[in-house]
PDB file of all heavy atoms in Angstrom:
ATOM      1  N   LEU A 727     -13.273 -41.841   8.462  1.00 98.00           N
ATOM      2  CA  LEU A 727     -14.543 -41.156   8.231  1.00 98.00           C
ATOM      3  C   LEU A 727     -15.728 -42.067   8.487  1.00 98.00           C
ATOM      4  O   LEU A 727     -16.694 -41.667   9.168  1.00 98.00           O
ATOM      5  CB  LEU A 727     -14.562 -40.582   6.810  1.00 98.00           C
ATOM      6  CG  LEU A 727     -13.557 -39.492   6.532  1.00 98.00           C
ATOM      7  CD1 LEU A 727     -13.674 -39.043   5.059  1.00 98.00           C
ATOM      8  CD2 LEU A 727     -13.749 -38.290   7.476  1.00 98.00           C
ATOM      9  N   LEU A 744     -23.773 -42.887   3.415  1.00 96.00           N
ATOM     10  CA  LEU A 744     -23.732 -42.931   1.979  1.00 96.00           C
ATOM     11  C   LEU A 744     -22.418 -42.376   1.481  1.00 96.00           C
ATOM     12  O   LEU A 744     -22.035 -41.268   1.821  1.00 96.00           O
ATOM     13  CB  LEU A 744     -24.909 -42.054   1.410  1.00 96.00           C
ATOM     14  CG  LEU A 744     -24.901 -41.938  -0.098  1.00 96.00           C
ATOM     15  CD1 LEU A 744     -25.241 -43.250  -0.762  1.00 96.00           C
ATOM     16  CD2 LEU A 744     -25.917 -40.848  -0.566  1.00 96.00           C
ATOM     17  N   SER A 746     -20.279 -41.315  -1.844  1.00 96.00           N
ATOM     18  CA  SER A 746     -20.470 -41.087  -3.251  1.00 96.00           C
ATOM     19  C   SER A 746     -19.323 -40.282  -3.804  1.00 96.00           C
ATOM     20  O   SER A 746     -18.456 -39.769  -3.087  1.00 96.00           O
ATOM     21  CB  SER A 746     -21.768 -40.295  -3.458  1.00 96.00           C
ATOM     22  OG  SER A 746     -21.721 -39.111  -2.687  1.00 96.00           O
ATOM     23  N   PHE A 756     -15.202 -36.530  -3.231  1.00 97.00           N
ATOM     24  CA  PHE A 756     -15.804 -37.659  -2.512  1.00 97.00           C
ATOM     25  C   PHE A 756     -16.567 -37.168  -1.338  1.00 97.00           C
ATOM     26  O   PHE A 756     -16.216 -36.140  -0.690  1.00 97.00           O
ATOM     27  CB  PHE A 756     -14.687 -38.588  -2.027  1.00 97.00           C
ATOM     28  CG  PHE A 756     -13.891 -39.273  -3.081  1.00 97.00           C
ATOM     29  CD1 PHE A 756     -12.740 -38.699  -3.610  1.00 97.00           C
ATOM     30  CD2 PHE A 756     -14.347 -40.459  -3.604  1.00 97.00           C
ATOM     31  CE1 PHE A 756     -12.039 -39.315  -4.608  1.00 97.00           C
ATOM     32  CE2 PHE A 756     -13.655 -41.116  -4.625  1.00 97.00           C
ATOM     33  CZ  PHE A 756     -12.486 -40.543  -5.139  1.00 97.00           C
ATOM     34  N   SER A 757     -17.701 -37.855  -1.008  1.00 97.00           N
ATOM     35  CA  SER A 757     -18.530 -37.451   0.085  1.00 97.00           C
ATOM     36  C   SER A 757     -18.843 -38.686   0.999  1.00 97.00           C
ATOM     37  O   SER A 757     -19.149 -39.755   0.408  1.00 97.00           O
ATOM     38  CB  SER A 757     -19.853 -36.830  -0.335  1.00 97.00           C
ATOM     39  OG  SER A 757     -19.550 -35.780  -1.230  1.00 97.00           O
ATOM     40  N   VAL A 758     -18.740 -38.454   2.316  1.00 97.00           N
ATOM     41  CA  VAL A 758     -19.219 -39.510   3.220  1.00 97.00           C
ATOM     42  C   VAL A 758     -20.290 -38.863   4.116  1.00 97.00           C
ATOM     43  O   VAL A 758     -20.008 -38.007   4.918  1.00 97.00           O
ATOM     44  CB  VAL A 758     -18.043 -40.015   4.113  1.00 97.00           C
ATOM     45  CG1 VAL A 758     -18.532 -41.054   5.111  1.00 97.00           C
ATOM     46  CG2 VAL A 758     -16.926 -40.591   3.240  1.00 97.00           C
ATOM     47  N   GLU A 759     -21.537 -39.285   3.831  1.00 96.00           N
ATOM     48  CA  GLU A 759     -22.650 -38.625   4.487  1.00 96.00           C
ATOM     49  C   GLU A 759     -23.276 -39.561   5.526  1.00 96.00           C
ATOM     50  O   GLU A 759     -23.460 -40.753   5.279  1.00 96.00           O
ATOM     51  CB  GLU A 759     -23.707 -38.371   3.373  1.00 96.00           C
ATOM     52  CG  GLU A 759     -24.854 -37.495   3.800  1.00 96.00           C
ATOM     53  CD  GLU A 759     -25.792 -37.198   2.615  1.00 96.00           C
ATOM     54  OE1 GLU A 759     -25.385 -37.473   1.469  1.00 96.00           O
ATOM     55  OE2 GLU A 759     -26.940 -36.795   2.877  1.00 96.00           O
ATOM     56  N   ASP A 760     -23.591 -38.990   6.748  1.00 97.00           N
ATOM     57  CA  ASP A 760     -24.212 -39.852   7.737  1.00 97.00           C
ATOM     58  C   ASP A 760     -25.476 -39.243   8.306  1.00 97.00           C
ATOM     59  O   ASP A 760     -25.785 -38.037   7.999  1.00 97.00           O
ATOM     60  CB  ASP A 760     -23.219 -40.131   8.874  1.00 97.00           C
ATOM     61  CG  ASP A 760     -22.788 -38.932   9.652  1.00 97.00           C
ATOM     62  OD1 ASP A 760     -23.653 -38.143  10.042  1.00 97.00           O
ATOM     63  OD2 ASP A 760     -21.568 -38.764   9.928  1.00 97.00           O
ATOM     64  N   ASN A 761     -26.229 -39.960   9.048  1.00 96.00           N
ATOM     65  CA  ASN A 761     -27.519 -39.500   9.701  1.00 96.00           C
ATOM     66  C   ASN A 761     -27.280 -39.414  11.202  1.00 96.00           C
ATOM     67  O   ASN A 761     -28.160 -39.645  11.981  1.00 96.00           O
ATOM     68  CB  ASN A 761     -28.627 -40.435   9.372  1.00 96.00           C
ATOM     69  CG  ASN A 761     -28.400 -41.816   9.940  1.00 96.00           C
ATOM     70  OD1 ASN A 761     -27.264 -42.181  10.223  1.00 96.00           O
ATOM     71  ND2 ASN A 761     -29.475 -42.607  10.124  1.00 96.00           N
ATOM     72  N   GLY A 764     -24.472 -34.897  14.052  1.00 95.00           N
ATOM     73  CA  GLY A 764     -24.198 -33.612  13.455  1.00 95.00           C
ATOM     74  C   GLY A 764     -23.202 -32.763  14.221  1.00 95.00           C
ATOM     75  O   GLY A 764     -22.793 -33.082  15.381  1.00 95.00           O
ATOM     76  N   ILE A 765     -22.778 -31.687  13.597  1.00 94.00           N
ATOM     77  CA  ILE A 765     -21.741 -30.784  14.178  1.00 94.00           C
ATOM     78  C   ILE A 765     -22.206 -29.356  14.053  1.00 94.00           C
ATOM     79  O   ILE A 765     -22.701 -28.944  12.969  1.00 94.00           O
ATOM     80  CB  ILE A 765     -20.422 -31.010  13.462  1.00 94.00           C
ATOM     81  CG1 ILE A 765     -19.940 -32.426  13.602  1.00 94.00           C
ATOM     82  CG2 ILE A 765     -19.303 -30.003  14.003  1.00 94.00           C
ATOM     83  CD1 ILE A 765     -18.847 -32.811  12.600  1.00 94.00           C
ATOM     84  N   PHE A 774     -10.767 -30.518  12.713  1.00 93.00           N
ATOM     85  CA  PHE A 774      -9.669 -31.113  12.000  1.00 93.00           C
ATOM     86  C   PHE A 774      -8.279 -30.908  12.643  1.00 93.00           C
ATOM     87  O   PHE A 774      -7.265 -31.322  12.141  1.00 93.00           O
ATOM     88  CB  PHE A 774      -9.625 -30.563  10.545  1.00 93.00           C
ATOM     89  CG  PHE A 774     -10.834 -31.001   9.731  1.00 93.00           C
ATOM     90  CD1 PHE A 774     -11.930 -30.191   9.575  1.00 93.00           C
ATOM     91  CD2 PHE A 774     -10.869 -32.274   9.176  1.00 93.00           C
ATOM     92  CE1 PHE A 774     -13.041 -30.597   8.834  1.00 93.00           C
ATOM     93  CE2 PHE A 774     -11.909 -32.711   8.435  1.00 93.00           C
ATOM     94  CZ  PHE A 774     -13.018 -31.873   8.290  1.00 93.00           C
ATOM     95  N   TRP A 808     -13.348 -30.949   4.125  1.00 97.00           N
ATOM     96  CA  TRP A 808     -14.196 -30.070   4.944  1.00 97.00           C
ATOM     97  C   TRP A 808     -15.464 -30.781   5.351  1.00 97.00           C
ATOM     98  O   TRP A 808     -15.716 -31.911   4.845  1.00 97.00           O
ATOM     99  CB  TRP A 808     -14.546 -28.739   4.244  1.00 97.00           C
ATOM    100  CG  TRP A 808     -15.477 -28.919   3.064  1.00 97.00           C
ATOM    101  CD1 TRP A 808     -16.773 -28.703   3.033  1.00 97.00           C
ATOM    102  CD2 TRP A 808     -15.056 -29.261   1.731  1.00 97.00           C
ATOM    103  NE1 TRP A 808     -17.244 -28.906   1.779  1.00 97.00           N
ATOM    104  CE2 TRP A 808     -16.221 -29.264   0.934  1.00 97.00           C
ATOM    105  CE3 TRP A 808     -13.862 -29.591   1.091  1.00 97.00           C
ATOM    106  CZ2 TRP A 808     -16.221 -29.566  -0.430  1.00 97.00           C
ATOM    107  CZ3 TRP A 808     -13.837 -29.887  -0.282  1.00 97.00           C
ATOM    108  CH2 TRP A 808     -15.032 -29.907  -1.014  1.00 97.00           C
ATOM    109  N   VAL A 809     -16.256 -30.173   6.268  1.00 96.00           N
ATOM    110  CA  VAL A 809     -17.493 -30.842   6.674  1.00 96.00           C
ATOM    111  C   VAL A 809     -18.726 -29.888   6.476  1.00 96.00           C
ATOM    112  O   VAL A 809     -18.515 -28.672   6.619  1.00 96.00           O
ATOM    113  CB  VAL A 809     -17.413 -31.309   8.148  1.00 96.00           C
ATOM    114  CG1 VAL A 809     -17.323 -30.131   9.105  1.00 96.00           C
ATOM    115  CG2 VAL A 809     -18.648 -32.148   8.508  1.00 96.00           C
ATOM    116  N   GLU A 810     -19.770 -30.455   6.037  1.00 96.00           N
ATOM    117  CA  GLU A 810     -20.997 -29.653   5.946  1.00 96.00           C
ATOM    118  C   GLU A 810     -21.999 -30.353   6.871  1.00 96.00           C
ATOM    119  O   GLU A 810     -22.268 -31.515   6.768  1.00 96.00           O
ATOM    120  CB  GLU A 810     -21.551 -29.677   4.484  1.00 96.00           C
ATOM    121  CG  GLU A 810     -20.645 -28.883   3.569  1.00 96.00           C
ATOM    122  CD  GLU A 810     -20.895 -29.237   2.107  1.00 96.00           C
ATOM    123  OE1 GLU A 810     -21.900 -29.938   1.793  1.00 96.00           O
ATOM    124  OE2 GLU A 810     -20.079 -28.831   1.256  1.00 96.00           O
ATOM    125  N   SER A 811     -22.520 -29.589   7.860  1.00 94.00           N
ATOM    126  CA  SER A 811     -23.347 -30.222   8.836  1.00 94.00           C
ATOM    127  C   SER A 811     -24.197 -29.237   9.591  1.00 94.00           C
ATOM    128  O   SER A 811     -23.963 -28.013   9.596  1.00 94.00           O
ATOM    129  CB  SER A 811     -22.445 -31.004   9.807  1.00 94.00           C
ATOM    130  OG  SER A 811     -23.220 -31.564  10.846  1.00 94.00           O
ATOM    131  N   GLU A 812     -25.155 -29.807  10.311  1.00 90.00           N
ATOM    132  CA  GLU A 812     -26.008 -28.991  11.187  1.00 90.00           C
ATOM    133  C   GLU A 812     -26.260 -29.889  12.394  1.00 90.00           C
ATOM    134  O   GLU A 812     -26.472 -31.082  12.237  1.00 90.00           O
ATOM    135  CB  GLU A 812     -27.310 -28.698  10.533  1.00 90.00           C
ATOM    136  CG  GLU A 812     -27.797 -27.302  10.754  1.00 90.00           C
ATOM    137  CD  GLU A 812     -29.076 -27.046   9.932  1.00 90.00           C
ATOM    138  OE1 GLU A 812     -29.041 -26.936   8.731  1.00 90.00           O
ATOM    139  OE2 GLU A 812     -30.143 -27.033  10.589  1.00 90.00           O
ATOM    140  N   LYS A 815     -28.573 -33.061  12.605  1.00 90.00           N
ATOM    141  CA  LYS A 815     -29.093 -33.400  11.292  1.00 90.00           C
ATOM    142  C   LYS A 815     -28.090 -34.196  10.389  1.00 90.00           C
ATOM    143  O   LYS A 815     -28.152 -34.154   9.228  1.00 90.00           O
ATOM    144  CB  LYS A 815     -29.517 -32.136  10.520  1.00 90.00           C
ATOM    145  CG  LYS A 815     -30.617 -31.389  11.244  1.00 90.00           C
ATOM    146  CD  LYS A 815     -31.532 -30.735  10.263  1.00 90.00           C
ATOM    147  CE  LYS A 815     -32.706 -30.131  10.993  1.00 90.00           C
ATOM    148  NZ  LYS A 815     -32.985 -28.750  10.583  1.00 90.00           N
ATOM    149  N   GLY A 816     -27.170 -34.817  11.077  1.00 94.00           N
ATOM    150  CA  GLY A 816     -26.185 -35.624  10.259  1.00 94.00           C
ATOM    151  C   GLY A 816     -25.067 -34.757   9.699  1.00 94.00           C
ATOM    152  O   GLY A 816     -25.160 -33.487   9.732  1.00 94.00           O
ATOM    153  N   SER A 817     -24.043 -35.386   9.230  1.00 96.00           N
ATOM    154  CA  SER A 817     -22.881 -34.649   8.718  1.00 96.00           C
ATOM    155  C   SER A 817     -22.484 -35.181   7.352  1.00 96.00           C
ATOM    156  O   SER A 817     -22.688 -36.390   7.087  1.00 96.00           O
ATOM    157  CB  SER A 817     -21.665 -34.783   9.624  1.00 96.00           C
ATOM    158  OG  SER A 817     -22.027 -34.713  10.964  1.00 96.00           O
ATOM    159  N   THR A 818     -21.946 -34.344   6.509  1.00 97.00           N
ATOM    160  CA  THR A 818     -21.348 -34.822   5.241  1.00 97.00           C
ATOM    161  C   THR A 818     -19.902 -34.346   5.187  1.00 97.00           C
ATOM    162  O   THR A 818     -19.659 -33.147   5.166  1.00 97.00           O
ATOM    163  CB  THR A 818     -22.085 -34.252   4.055  1.00 97.00           C
ATOM    164  OG1 THR A 818     -23.482 -34.601   4.208  1.00 97.00           O
ATOM    165  CG2 THR A 818     -21.551 -34.866   2.772  1.00 97.00           C
ATOM    166  N   PHE A 819     -18.982 -35.291   5.260  1.00 98.00           N
ATOM    167  CA  PHE A 819     -17.589 -34.948   5.131  1.00 98.00           C
ATOM    168  C   PHE A 819     -17.290 -35.065   3.642  1.00 98.00           C
ATOM    169  O   PHE A 819     -17.561 -36.040   2.990  1.00 98.00           O
ATOM    170  CB  PHE A 819     -16.702 -35.914   5.940  1.00 98.00           C
ATOM    171  CG  PHE A 819     -16.711 -35.549   7.425  1.00 98.00           C
ATOM    172  CD1 PHE A 819     -17.718 -36.069   8.237  1.00 98.00           C
ATOM    173  CD2 PHE A 819     -15.714 -34.777   7.916  1.00 98.00           C
ATOM    174  CE1 PHE A 819     -17.748 -35.739   9.563  1.00 98.00           C
ATOM    175  CE2 PHE A 819     -15.729 -34.429   9.281  1.00 98.00           C
ATOM    176  CZ  PHE A 819     -16.756 -34.925  10.112  1.00 98.00           C
ATOM    177  N   ARG A 820     -16.623 -33.985   3.097  1.00 97.00           N
ATOM    178  CA  ARG A 820     -16.279 -33.988   1.662  1.00 97.00           C
ATOM    179  C   ARG A 820     -14.780 -33.771   1.536  1.00 97.00           C
ATOM    180  O   ARG A 820     -14.181 -32.986   2.278  1.00 97.00           O
ATOM    181  CB  ARG A 820     -16.988 -32.908   0.913  1.00 97.00           C
ATOM    182  CG  ARG A 820     -18.472 -33.053   0.878  1.00 97.00           C
ATOM    183  CD  ARG A 820     -19.047 -32.043  -0.113  1.00 97.00           C
ATOM    184  NE  ARG A 820     -20.465 -31.760   0.135  1.00 97.00           N
ATOM    185  CZ  ARG A 820     -21.448 -32.582  -0.216  1.00 97.00           C
ATOM    186  NH1 ARG A 820     -21.187 -33.722  -0.872  1.00 97.00           N
ATOM    187  NH2 ARG A 820     -22.725 -32.262   0.052  1.00 97.00           N
ATOM    188  N   PHE A 821     -14.213 -34.439   0.527  1.00 97.00           N
ATOM    189  CA  PHE A 821     -12.822 -34.112   0.224  1.00 97.00           C
ATOM    190  C   PHE A 821     -12.540 -34.259  -1.235  1.00 97.00           C
ATOM    191  O   PHE A 821     -13.260 -35.012  -1.952  1.00 97.00           O
ATOM    192  CB  PHE A 821     -11.866 -34.987   1.057  1.00 97.00           C
ATOM    193  CG  PHE A 821     -11.957 -36.452   0.850  1.00 97.00           C
ATOM    194  CD1 PHE A 821     -11.192 -37.081  -0.173  1.00 97.00           C
ATOM    195  CD2 PHE A 821     -12.863 -37.249   1.577  1.00 97.00           C
ATOM    196  CE1 PHE A 821     -11.266 -38.457  -0.358  1.00 97.00           C
ATOM    197  CE2 PHE A 821     -12.935 -38.641   1.379  1.00 97.00           C
ATOM    198  CZ  PHE A 821     -12.106 -39.213   0.358  1.00 97.00           C
TER     199      PHE A 821
END
Side-chain angles (χ1 to χ4, degrees):
L727 293 179
L744 176 68
S746 57
F756 294 91
S757 306
V758 178
E759 187 178 346
D760 64 46
N761 62 341
I765 298 164
F774 292 99
W808 68 98
V809 65
E810 291 163 11
S811 176
E812 221 178 287
K815 298 213 173 132
S817 320
T818 305
F819 283 84
R820 294 192 202 280
F821 61 91

